[in-house]
Amino acid sequence: MTHPTERITYFVEVVLPLHLPEYYTYRVPFEYNDLVAVGQRVIVQFGQKRLYSALVRKVHTEVPAYKTKYILSILDYEPIVGETQFKFWEWMAGYYMCYVGDIMAVALPSAFRLASESTIAIHPEFSGEYGNLTKSELNVLEALMNKSVLSISEISNITGYQKIFPLLKTMIEKKIIVMEEEIKQRYTPKKEKYLSLSDKYKDSEAETKELFDTLEKKSSTQKQLTVLLAFFRLSEFGKNAIAKKQLTQNTDLSSSAINTLIRNGVLVEEERTESRLIDGDATASVDDIELSEQQQNALSICLHPYSKNVTLLHGVTSSGKTEVYIKLIDKVVKEGKQVLFLLPEIALTAQVINRLRKYFGNKVGVYHSRFSTNERAEVWNKTIMGKDGGYQILLGARSAVFLPFQNLGLVVVDEEHDNSYKQYEPAPRYNGRDSAIYLAHLFGAKTILGSATPSLECYYNAQTEKYSLATMDKRYGGLMMPEILCVDMKEAARTKEVQLHYSKFLLDHIQEALENKEQVILFQNRRGFSLRLECDACHWIPECKHCDVSLVYHKQTNSLRCHYCGYSIPIPNECPACHSTGIKMKGFGTEKIEEDLQIFFPDAKIARMDLDSTTQKKKYLEILTDFEDRNIDILVGTQMITKGLDFDNVSVVGILSADNMISFPDFRSFERSFQQMTQVSGRAGRHGRRGKVIIQTYNPYHQAIRDVIDNNYLSMYKSQINERRVFRYPPFYKLIRITVKHKDERIVNEASSLLAHDLRQVFGNRVLGPEYPSVSRIKNSYLKNILVRFEKSEAIAQGKKIIINISNNIINQKEYSKVTIIHDVDPQ
């Protein structure tokens, strides 16, 4: 935006990354008249002392009725947020009952959210080269050398620079300094060791020949010869450097021989810093993908000019949904538009990104929460660039909906049914799938929702023709669906065919798979070693002192841990209630299964994939890569392993405790248990012979299990949709869950009762509660829930405003001023 050069007084309305209900107006200094534009970051003073980087929402000349402060500086030459993005944020704030500042706080990478209290440190990757630094940059570095971490306001005071933000922004981009949040995330540069042939042998064929002759003559150097031959094969006869792990990961090659060649100066080892944003050229053409008849029909429905803007692609596991996505993406990319590809789990991005980069190369970018702030900022900027040297295809978890798309042409939401698309804390408590549909609508783009087990809401929308429906009910290449077998654990226990928690039937099939050099996946949706400890004498169970839940035993740390707040205690030697030493473990989690399997199958390589085993940034990728490369025989996991992963050697999948999922107290438990069991079943027999799925249950005739065995989604859908209609649940009603939270139980009871009473005055019997949730105290705060439901035909937007006003009236009362009221729209 450019303005005339005359001295017109401009004002800007800005968004601050704070929980504030409105925009704030600041005055523009005359020297910035030609520079300020909507979507840029500006530094403003908010309150008495604090400085923030705010986003310009509007530039105008209307003089406010009050005295305004000046913006202090402009951080960006070009806008980093576009008009469509602002509209998207404003819709999201209205729909999910929060403020635009809440959206900004989660949408922008933290590297863009500078504030005077933000802390800065020297970047771990900073080379120490001072020759190219400006005097100002040197002054900042000098301040940080005396104290390793400083707030921005402290740096400003030490250096005497009033307008410090633009300087710090430049230093962050140059990777001289880093925001302290990065240090908390234990940010370390990605290092990789490379091997190259020393110049002595690279420049002389005679020397190389002599080296081979020498190694060949001695029996003691045969391992070195094997390594050298492998190196020459991988490095194009010594022309290129190769990653050391290409040799060390090969079990046929001796690590000591590799190190001897390095020590003797034959190979040169060097450590390189690699970008985590890996680019690469396409290696295959989309035209080479041959679609089956069902895939072609599904593609035609998605592309049909009269199809709805949203299409549900209902394809059984291994039916080839990804190939349909790739064909659609290819068409959109050729039109010069951008694509958003959403996945529910970060673990899935590794496999999908490899498949997309095979066809689209460096047009593909990845964005998710496990990237460092600098990496996220880099992806953000490359999204703004779009087809002009930036990313046209963005793949990521739910937070990728916030990227600054310029010309979005297609949104793909894979595994759309997954509840990982829902954000629970903090606000906005949004659903990534539903938000992506609205984002596509703003750009006039098509949305494809893919799943083998669609959510009831989406399938209902397809049945009522709000969405188009494309169905693929056969596996690609004529592969058979897995054979699903059910073990009645009551009967197995009666006939003494159960060892620990495993039926003989399951153990026999695992043994058979291992003998055939095939892989096994075991699913248990509980992490930890034992679900609880219990005293045999008085039935005392150790509980968290901050939350109303029992503690879970984790053998790896030999401690009892709360999965809500992280509280941990050592294992007690005796019961504190009755002093009995008879404390027994009850139930079992993934950690216990991993240990048991090592007893049953001592020669098998076993790994575990759950929240505990994948806390490190790249650990989930390492586990998946090892399993894909067949370095793992049995993979034990929680729901992380149920979601769209594609392995070609899995012949047996075991579901260990089907009953726990079905009996969970939630109106979605039947639907979710069907989805999880069907999804994990789909990991079996994807390539080659038919796979087997073994479900262990004490209730083999439960309808959810029968539907999984019959692979009958429609049966599950019909039974559940009728229940939802009768009991007034989604998709027929919209739900808003209101949670009242405070450290004093009495205040929670009083405030929630008053809130429910006031809501009933307006909404009548649409209001349910207040009731304690299944976990009624978390982190020393008590909780009570109120549920408000609206028919879809009602004016829900007006209802939301009324709920917010009534909630505000409660917390504006002195005795309830410290009560927290949380609004969760479309709770999962």
Side-chain angles (χ1 to χ4, degrees), residues 387-524:
K387 64 180 181 178
D388 301 322
Y391 292 133
Q392 276 188 270
I393 305 163
L394 275 301
L395 184 147
R398 61 176 181 260
S399 60
V401 297
F402 295 117
L403 285 166
F405 295 99
Q406 304 298 294
N407 189 14
L408 191 62
L410 174 69
V411 170
V412 176
V413 184
D414 198 22
E415 309 295 344
E416 64 78 20
H417 66 276
D418 201 289
N419 63 350
S420 297
Y421 282 120
K422 175 70 175 179
Q423 161 93 357
Y424 294 98
E425 290 292 342
R429 294 169 180 83
Y430 68 100
N431 186 302
R433 176 199 63 204
D434 299 341
S435 300
I437 291 171
Y438 188 80
L439 179 66
H441 162 73
L442 289 174
F443 280 96
K446 291 264 188 183
T447 303
I448 309 298
L449 308 175
S451 178
T453 54
S455 62
L456 260 70
E457 290 88 338
C458 285
Y459 200 77
Y460 176 79
N461 285 339
Q463 293 294 302
T464 54
E465 298 186 354
K466 183 178 178 182
Y467 298 166
S468 297
L469 176 64
T471 303
M472 300 192 299
D473 58 6
K474 293 184 177 65
R475 283 186 155 190
Y476 183 79
L479 287 174
M480 295 179 70
M481 294 296 289
E483 180 184 8
I484 301 180
L485 306 166
C486 194
V487 178
D488 184 343
M489 293 297 283
K490 282 187 293 188
E491 179 63 21
R494 189 183 68 78
T495 57
K496 296 188 165 75
E497 291 192 339
V498 175
Q499 291 180 265
L500 297 176
H501 309 287
Y502 316 94
S503 64
K504 182 178 182 298
F505 187 77
L506 174 61
L507 294 174
D508 287 347
H509 277 82
I510 294 173
Q511 183 63 49
E512 182 185 350
L514 295 175
E515 288 171 357
N516 293 332
K517 305 297 182 187
E518 294 166 339
Q519 292 170 293
V520 176
I521 288 177
L522 294 181
F523 170 57
Q524 165 72 338

Side-chain angles (χ1 to χ4, degrees), residues 78-114:
E78 299 290 338
I80 64 165
V81 173
E83 180 62 26
T84 306
Q85 251 184 306
F86 276 124
K87 287 179 180 176
F88 178 54
W89 292 5
E90 286 159 354
W91 168 82
M92 186 176 274
Y95 187 86
Y96 290 108
M97 300 173 71
C98 59
Y99 300 133
V100 176
D102 297 325
I103 313 287
M104 177 184 172
V106 299
L108 288 187
S110 58
F112 290 163
R113 300 195 310 269
L114 296 172

Side-chain angles (χ1 to χ4, degrees), residues 68-87:
T68 57
K69 297 174 183 175
Y70 283 93
I71 63 171
L72 302 176
S73 60
I74 299 174
L75 287 179
D76 305 303
Y77 295 111
E78 299 290 338
I80 64 165
V81 173
E83 180 62 26
T84 306
Q85 251 184 306
F86 276 124
K87 287 179 180 176

Side-chain angles (χ1 to χ4, degrees), residues 580-592:
S580 166
T581 56
I583 299 175
K584 299 289 178 64
M585 295 181 189
K586 306 286 184 179
F588 63 103
T590 49
E591 196 178 3
K592 176 75 164 67

